[in-house]
Amino acid sequence: MSEGGLTLAKAPVVEPPRPRRFRVTWPVLLSAFGALVVLLSATRAVTGAADLTSAGAINAAVALAVPIGLAGLGGLWSERAGVVNIGLEGMMVMGTWCGAWGALHFGNPWAGVLAGAIGGALGGLLHAVATVTFGVDHIISGVAINILGVGVTEFLSKITFAEMPGGGDSQSPPVPKPGIVSVPGIGDGLAALESGHWFLVSDLAGIVRGLLTNVSLFTVLAIALVPLSYYVLWRTAFGLRLRSCGERPVAAESLGVNVYFHKYAAVLVSGALAGLGGAFLSLVAATAYREGQTGGRGFIGLAAMIFGNWRPGGLAAGATLFGYTDALQLRRGGESVHALLLVVAILVAAAAVYQLVAQRRTRAAVISGIAAVAVFVVFALTSTIPSEFTSVAPHVTTLLVLSLAAQRLRPPAADGVPYRRGQAK
């Protein structure tokens, strides 16, 4: 632009600095785990709540996290293909019954594991037929699966388990359980270190002993399914095609991908994984099948999947968090949950600092800071948590985690979006 023979340079537009994107790498994960162990150790030393890092609590946390993680993993497979699976709870219910029936009928717990997966997969097949083939709303179909799962298992219990010695209309006889394994040669040494109650050393010994001793073979199988799912979905051509069906199904079809096939496969695997979670409840977490055994874990699994941002690693972390809070309230109740309040207050305060400094999100930082202060005040003014409140600790944790994680979620673009074959034409 010129004025009076002079050329005026256009002022450059200065864009505000963008918040740096946080990348999760192995060094970051290991550092975060180390910091968490130090925090738990310090909290144990301050509060005297020894169960925070005891081997028993860690072992119980892993066992309680497995059915939640398997349900969440099932939801991950389904939603990565664009099918919302609210019916995970009903598929888990079918897995609990089928797992107990298979173990009793064949006299082998691994037959029960297979039967549980098949029972859940049948529920997944029904959900796939309704949503993929007939275009039924995903939420309506999922709710129907939940209702149907409860009704079918109640009916089957009355015509099978009620006729068996030790069984009844709402429960099965005792079932055979999968074997338990331990890493040899470490139990006694780690137990001695843990009993010393030394800062950090005893805590690490308790955590390692809880992870490597008295672990069910079913738990080992469930943990192995997490990296296996990651490999299949993110490192194979089949997984790439499946995820494309959840992101851009029309574009995928135009490139020759059989969208219906991949959606069916994903929902079938989803149901099988949820069924495995149900079978774990009747074969490992308990001694028999009982009505109402799932206790809403299918829905908590969905929460773990959302917390993990539809990724296997984050999902596993969410399931572990829910299992850990459940284990604490079951073992020492008010004492352990009260000590956990201090951990929560420190973590939320750290999140507030990160939001303010690294992400420049002042409003979110202020809200997190207020929440941290409120939790710390409750911790400081009380000495224990009443038993009426400790039983809902896992569910409160679910709500808190979802409210904090909802700000950075990125679900599949076509998740829950109706798709009909031929839209690409």
Side-chain angles (χ1 to χ4, degrees), residues 8-262:
L8 301 179
K10 192 174 182 179
V13 178
V14 180
E15 295 183 358
R18 296 181 179 180
R20 291 176 298 175
R21 186 178 179 183
F22 184 74
R23 295 187 61 189
V24 178
T25 59
W26 279 110
V28 171
L29 289 176
L30 293 175
S31 299
F33 176 75
L36 181 61
V37 172
V38 172
L39 176 59
L40 290 174
S41 181
T43 304
R44 176 193 60 79
V46 171
T47 63
D51 235 18
L52 285 178
T53 56
S54 69
I58 300 301
N59 193 274
V62 172
L64 291 167
V66 165
I68 296 173
L70 286 171
L73 203 59
L76 172 73
W77 272 82
S78 180
E79 298 206 9
R80 277 295 176 180
V83 180
V84 175
N85 193 354
I86 299 295
L88 289 171
E89 178 76 7
M91 297 171 196
M92 285 190 76
V93 171
M94 297 172 71
T96 57
W97 187 91
C98 291
W101 177 85
L104 289 169
H105 185 76
F106 294 100
N108 189 315
W110 294 106
V113 172
L114 180 60
I118 293 174
L122 289 176
L125 177 62
L126 183 60
H127 187 52
V129 170
T131 57
V132 179
T133 301
F134 293 105
V136 175
D137 183 88
H138 298 188
I139 305 300
I140 294 175
S141 175
V143 172
I145 295 292
N146 291 334
I147 298 172
L148 185 65
V150 174
V152 168
T153 52
E154 286 182 0
F155 170 74
L156 291 175
S157 295
K158 291 176 181 178
I159 64 174
T160 54
F161 294 150
E163 307 297 326
M164 298 181 180
D169 289 346
S170 60
Q171 69 178 41
S172 71
V175 298
K177 303 171 76 68
I180 293 176
V181 295
S182 300
V183 176
I186 66 170
D188 294 338
L190 291 176
L193 288 175
E194 183 184 359
S195 62
H197 298 293
W198 299 309
F199 177 75
L200 196 58
V201 175
S202 295
D203 301 287
L204 283 172
I207 292 172
V208 173
R209 190 163 77 95
L211 293 174
L212 300 182
T213 60
N214 298 322
V215 178
S216 171
L217 288 172
F218 199 162
T219 301
V220 177
L221 171 64
I223 293 174
L225 288 174
V226 176
L228 179 61
S229 294
Y230 172 79
Y231 176 79
V232 173
L233 290 175
W234 273 269
R235 290 292 182 268
T236 66
F238 169 79
L240 177 61
R241 290 191 290 267
L242 186 147
R243 288 187 292 116
S244 71
C245 296
E247 296 289 348
R248 299 286 185 271
V250 175
E253 183 187 5
S254 68
L255 294 174
V257 175
N258 189 335
V259 177
Y260 276 21
F261 168 78
H262 287 86

